Structures are given as structure tokens and as C-alpha cells.
Amino acid sequence: MRQIPYVPLRNSKQLAHKLKLAVGQRTEVATNVRTDDGLTNGASNIIKLIQLTDENKPSGLIWVQFDYEDVGRKTRQENRTLYARGIQSTWTPIKPVTTQFSVGRTKSAQVVRKQFPLRPASAKTVHGSQGDTQTQIVVNLNSNRAFPHIYYVALSRVTTIEGLYITDLCEDKISVDQRVVKEMEILRTEQSLNLCFKRLYMLDQSDLKVCYFNARSLHKHIEDVRKDINYSSMDIVIFTETRNDVSQGTGPGRPYCGTAVYSRVPLKEGYPYVHNVNGIEFTIIKTESNPHLNIIGVYRSPNIAISRLLSSLRSILDEDSSAHNIIIGDFNVNWMVESDRQSLYNLMVVQNHYRQLITGFTTDNRTLIDHLYTNLMEEEIEAGILETYFSDHKAIWASLRT
């Protein structure tokens, strides 16, 4: 029995013999209490209120506020009758739990322990912090030994560099396991993988590169766009559904001001210009270096009838049937479904001999509604899809050999 107070936490299923807690103290859940509700080992929180029914033993409730509001949501809902005056709706009640473990040299003695499943967590070892994500941390890296990769673990627990504070950096103790160095060299040389997609910044610099992207609000995602080298390496980028100035809309439909064009190359005087027809956004672009090539950006709302799209395209194509065109955009017609694409296929492919170059899904819904039509020769143009992570659309692109 004298061994019981000294049983290591790893042998007592993380329930402490004595637990010193206080309001305002940072703690974390010590064991998996309820995995479907996020009450798992390591869930960080701050104690807000302690309500003991017997001060001499674990009893009653400890109210905590978790760092993430989705943790404990089900528990709060199921215990809503406990929320008296002064208890905030974001606090979660923690009740004592009971566990059984073995002690003694032969593990023949069984101990049943009842305790709150919490442990103090204001400070941790680097090893103990693995898996944590915090907005602010203070890291003390003072050490007499060099532990491989421990600096990476310690410094990557925080979400921003502004929230990181370091004491005793000990740069001479930064160490990398030589087995890791060797493995990284193998991955970079002998076992490197070929990407399954085209890196747009690796396209031929002499080509004219055009990209189209339904941004689903450009002002919301402008920083994502700016930081993606694929977009900045394009010569012309056409964005639609920018939602930059909805005040110019007339009526219940989408405003015509939803298209934005960025260009790194000189454009022909008077271009780009807007040529909206039948509620469909058309943007005509010509460059100084390719004045005989029309780049036509298109956006058709799913609320606009397909017949109006066909009529608009027909009028544009009839203006100059001999022109070289790239017609690129969101047509909201699923090219994967034959019955959906039939009328558009007849107009563009059968009657006007254009090719549609996009062959894979262009949305997260596994549809191909962003198209690229051209009457250029096959050897003159390459096209493809660029994966994105901030819109349900993927970008599509074309590279013209000049």
C-alpha cells in the first residue's frame, strides 16, 4: 500500500494521486475521456471555477474553458441543466473519473483511483508538447546535450512567429540526425518523385501564359493569390466572381463587374474591354506581341439559360470567323455529362471546329464546368488545370508558343 502514492502516472493511467489545481491555472485533459467530443489526452484549457462537494476527495465539478470552442460542445449541451447563474456557456464541466490499475512487483494488487482527469500544463517538456498548437509560447532551450530535431519540435508548436518567445537558444546544440540527412539526400536524388501536375512557373518563359480562375471573392482570397508563384508567373490572369464591387449590379442577377484582369505584358490599345451580352460576362483581351489573337474570358451564371450562352457565343464567333481565339472561362456546363454539353459541343466543336482542351475535373464537386476552346493548332498551345485550396474551383491555364 505504501507504493500507491508513488506509482508513476504512466502506470496509473495518467490519474494523479494528488492534484493541485487553482482557478486561472492552465491544464490539459490527462486521458481520453470522450474522443467523440474532443475531450482527449492533451486538450488544453484554463480552469474557470472549482465546485467541490467534499474538499477532502475528488468530487463535484471543475469548470474549464478549452482553447477551441468545438472541444466539449456535446458535453456542454448534455449538461446544460448545470449552468447556473455566473457560469458561462463556453465553460465545460469536468467530472471525476475512475480507473483501475495494478501495483506491486507481481502486479497482483489492484487499485481503484478516482480523480479529475486533468494535469497542470503551464509548462511542459518539449517531448510532452508534441502535438500541441498554441498562439503564444515561451521556449527555453537551455541544454547541456544536443538532441536531434528537438529544436524543430519546440519551435513549431506556435501558429505565428509573433507568438514565439525564445530564451537560451543555445545554437551550438542544434542538431540533425545523420540518418535524416542521408535519407533526405536519397529523396532528392535517387528517389525523387515526378509531380502529377504542371508547375506553371516552370513553363517556357518565351511562351504567352494565360490563366483563368473563378476566385469566389477575389478580395477575400487576394493574399492567397499573391503568395502563389503559379499566378505571379502568368502573363495574363483572368479572375471571375471577384465580388469586388457588387454595388454596380442592376437587378437580382450577378453584376457585370465580377471580372478582373491582371497582365504582365503590354496590351493592345483599347484592351481589355467588356463585351457583356445576355447577362453573360465576356472580356476581350489582345496583346501587343500577338495582336491577331483574341483571348476571351467568359463567366456564365448557372441562372442564365444555356440558349442565351449559345446565342452570345455565336455572335462573337460570327464577328470574325478567321480570327485566332482562345475562349476560356466558367461556362457552368458540365463537360463530363454528354447530355449537358451537347448543344455547346455542337456549336463549338461540330459547327466551328474548335477544340475543348480541359479534360479533368475543375471543381471540388467533380464537375468540368471551366472550359478552354481554341481554333489554334495542337502544336501551338498547351493547356491544363491548376489545383487550388481556397476556392471550390480549380484554375485552368494555357501556354501559347510564340
Side-chain angles (χ1 to χ4, degrees):
M1 294 297 291
R2 286 178 296 180
Q3 297 180 24
I4 295 175
Y6 308 104
V7 173
L9 288 176
R10 65 177 181 274
N11 296 335
S12 66
K13 300 183 180 179
Q14 298 298 319
L15 292 187
H17 174 62
K18 290 185 178 181
L19 190 59
K20 296 182 179 181
L21 301 175
V23 172
Q25 181 181 3
R26 175 164 287 279
T27 68
E28 62 185 17
V29 177
T31 186
N32 290 334
V33 177
R34 186 174 179 182
T35 57
D36 67 321
D37 198 24
L39 300 179
T40 56
N41 183 18
S44 298
N45 59 80
I46 294 177
I47 295 178
K48 293 298 184 179
L49 180 65
I50 299 176
Q51 293 179 322
L52 299 180
T53 55
D54 186 338
E55 294 186 358
N56 295 317
K57 59 183 180 181
S59 58
L61 299 171
I62 295 179
W63 295 88
V64 304
Q65 181 156 349
F66 286 102
D67 293 350
Y68 301 97
E69 63 179 15
D70 57 325
V71 177
R73 190 188 303 274
K74 293 180 181 179
T75 300
R76 293 192 292 272
Q77 177 65 23
E78 293 170 2
N79 291 276
R80 57 187 179 275
T81 57
L82 300 176
Y83 287 77
R85 184 184 299 273
I87 298 177
Q88 297 183 20
S89 60
T90 56
W91 297 357
T92 304
I94 303 297
K95 302 176 183 179
V97 299
T98 302
T99 190
Q100 181 174 312
F101 56 91
S102 304
V103 297
R105 183 176 300 175
T106 61
K107 304 295 183 183
S108 57
Q110 298 294 313
V111 175
V112 176
R113 175 172 290 174
K114 184 179 182 181
Q115 185 58 277
F116 289 101
L118 299 172
R119 59 172 172 255
S122 296
K124 301 180 183 181
T125 65
V126 174
H127 177 76
S129 70
Q130 291 189 79
D132 286 2
T133 301
Q134 302 294 341
T135 55
Q136 288 187 318
I137 60 171
V138 177
V139 181
N140 185 299
L141 293 166
N142 188 19
S143 174
N144 295 324
R145 296 173 55 192
F147 295 94
H149 313 292
I150 200 168
Y151 276 62
Y152 168 77
V153 175
L155 301 179
S156 61
R157 299 308 94 199
V158 67
T159 54
T160 64
I161 191 68
E162 292 76 16
L164 175 63
Y165 302 87
I166 303 173
T167 64
D168 297 324
L169 182 59
C170 298
E171 295 182 51
D172 59 320
K173 296 298 188 296
I174 297 176
S175 173
V176 178
D177 192 310
Q178 289 304 305
R179 291 173 296 180
V180 173
V181 175
K182 182 179 179 180
E183 183 65 21
M184 290 302 298
E185 182 61 27
I186 292 173
L187 292 174
R188 292 188 179 105
T189 56
E190 302 172 20
Q191 299 181 6
S192 60
L193 298 176
N194 295 322
L195 293 177
C196 61
F197 59 91
K198 181 78 72 172
R199 291 171 289 181
L200 303 190
Y201 52 88
M202 296 296 290
L203 293 171
D204 194 321
Q205 293 299 308
S206 64
D207 290 354
L208 177 64
K209 298 173 286 297
V210 180
C211 182
Y212 171 91
F213 181 43
N214 184 328
R216 295 287 197 176
S217 178
L218 184 57
H219 69 270
K220 181 179 180 181
H221 301 302
I222 189 63
E223 289 303 318
D224 299 289
V225 171
R226 284 173 175 164
K227 292 175 181 178
D228 192 329
I229 192 174
N230 288 294
Y231 295 109
S232 58
S233 64
M234 292 286 99
D235 296 309
I236 297 173
V237 184
I238 305 168
F239 295 102
T240 59
E241 282 205 70
T242 61
R243 304 174 188 171
N244 284 340
D245 189 6
V246 297
S247 64
Q248 295 185 26
T250 56
R254 294 178 183 270
Y256 286 155
C257 58
T259 299
V261 176
Y262 293 81
S263 178
R264 293 197 310 166
V265 297
L267 300 181
K268 192 175 178 181
E269 186 176 354
Y271 292 87
Y273 75 85
V274 176
H275 184 70
N276 297 323
V277 182
N278 292 331
I280 300 165
E281 298 174 25
F282 290 94
T283 305
I284 316 298
I285 304 166
K286 285 189 177 184
T287 67
E288 288 186 355
S289 59
N290 293 274
H292 303 297
L293 173 69
N294 296 317
I295 301 169
I296 305 172
V298 179
Y299 175 76
R300 168 192 167 248
S301 164
N303 298 324
I304 302 296
I306 187 69
S307 58
R308 296 171 67 178
L309 170 65
L310 299 175
S311 174
S312 303
L313 286 171
R314 191 174 290 110
S315 66
I316 289 177
L317 295 173
D318 289 344
E319 286 182 9
D320 185 359
S321 60
S322 63
H324 289 161
N325 292 326
I326 294 176
I327 304 175
I328 185 171
D330 180 359
F331 290 76
N332 270 299
V333 173
N334 188 2
W335 195 259
M336 294 291 193
V337 180
E338 185 174 357
S339 58
D340 290 356
R341 76 177 188 222
Q342 193 61 56
S343 57
L344 190 56
Y345 177 89
N346 289 339
L347 173 65
M348 299 302 296
V349 179
V350 177
Q351 298 173 24
N352 288 279
H353 310 293
Y354 277 66
R355 293 180 297 124
Q356 202 291 104
L357 303 185
I358 305 303
T359 58
F361 297 122
T362 62
T363 72
D364 292 345
N365 297 320
R366 299 179 67 81
T367 58
L368 199 172
I369 60 177
D370 303 275
H371 307 167
L372 192 160
Y373 300 93
T374 186
N375 56 357
L376 294 173
M377 300 295 290
E378 186 174 351
E379 61 270 15
E380 295 179 294
I381 185 171
E382 179 184 6
I385 299 169
L386 174 65
E387 185 61 73
T388 60
Y389 60 89
F390 50 88
S391 170
D392 58 352
H393 280 254
K394 308 177 195 303
I396 58 176
W397 58 269
S399 181
L400 287 77
R401 296 175 179 86
T402 57

